[in-house]
Amino acid sequence: NLLANIAGQAWRLDGDLQSFFDSTESPAVFAATYGHGLRVGLPGQTTTLRNYDFGQQVSVDISTGAESIAKSFDGHLASSRFDGEVRFQTLEPFVYAVTPARSALVEPTGGRLIIIGARNAVLEISVRGNAVVLSLDTDGDGHFDDGQQTTWQKLTGLVPI
């Protein structure tokens, strides 16, 4: 049972949680989090993750003078919020620029991730500059049936610091 203060709110994590960190390939760090059942959320607003496995690769590039961080996410999860299991895979790492004026990792400037669900339906999230394009293949035939453009703030509810 773990209580974490995230953005001023008390998040509770309770259940099976295992983590692995590998920092031997500097400047890249790999982190994996996995388990069989974990309740996560705010009081009265929890969800249970089942048979989950999150992998995250983080690389730092300081060769240009302006630091940038690339993040990749891969894994799968089942949740009490939906039936079945989803898989996710990074096709292009999400790139975050870090400058003295902007030290927080809030919005990526590039990257592409797919989420695969039932009947091989695919949601692709593609970031290019300030635009985020959501493309949906509802029947898993390899062709996107619908799409929408939005911003990272609207997609995640995050406000830049």
Side-chain angles (χ1 to χ4, degrees):
N1 196 350
L2 174 69
L3 189 61
N5 184 342
I6 301 173
Q9 296 183 317
W11 284 77
R12 183 170 304 279
L13 294 103
D14 186 19
D16 179 27
L17 171 71
Q18 298 179 49
S19 291
F20 169 79
F21 295 92
D22 180 359
S23 61
T24 59
E25 297 293 325
S26 183
V29 174
F30 176 77
T33 304
Y34 51 93
H36 297 290
L38 179 66
R39 260 192 349 258
V40 179
L42 299 166
Q45 301 175 0
T46 62
T47 188
T48 301
L49 304 180
R50 298 181 308 273
N51 299 322
Y52 62 95
D53 183 1
F54 302 107
Q56 176 176 309
Q57 175 90 25
V58 179
S59 302
V60 178
D61 180 8
I62 57 173
S63 63
T64 62
E67 201 172 296
S68 68
I69 295 175
K71 291 179 139 187
S72 297
F73 308 92
D74 296 287
H76 61 87
L77 70 92
S79 170
S80 60
R81 296 203 182 231
F82 56 84
D83 290 331
E85 179 178 278
V86 296
R87 294 173 286 138
F88 49 96
Q89 176 184 2
T90 300
L91 301 178
E92 298 172 18
F94 286 88
V95 177
Y96 298 80
V98 180
T99 65
R102 186 182 144 148
S103 61
L105 299 177
V106 178
E107 297 179 25
T109 57
R112 202 163 60 122
L113 173 87
I114 58 170
I115 301 170
I116 304 163
R119 296 176 310 282
N120 289 321
V122 174
L123 171 64
E124 180 179 286
I125 303 168
S126 181
V127 178
R128 296 288 174 261
N130 293 327
V132 176
V133 177
L134 306 174
S135 302
L136 184 62
D137 172 5
T138 57
D139 54 12
D141 66 357
H143 300 285
F144 290 115
D145 306 304
D146 198 5
Q148 178 178 342
Q149 185 167 324
T150 187
T151 65
W152 192 257
Q153 287 178 339
K154 287 179 183 175
L155 180 65
T156 63
L158 295 176
V159 177
I161 297 173

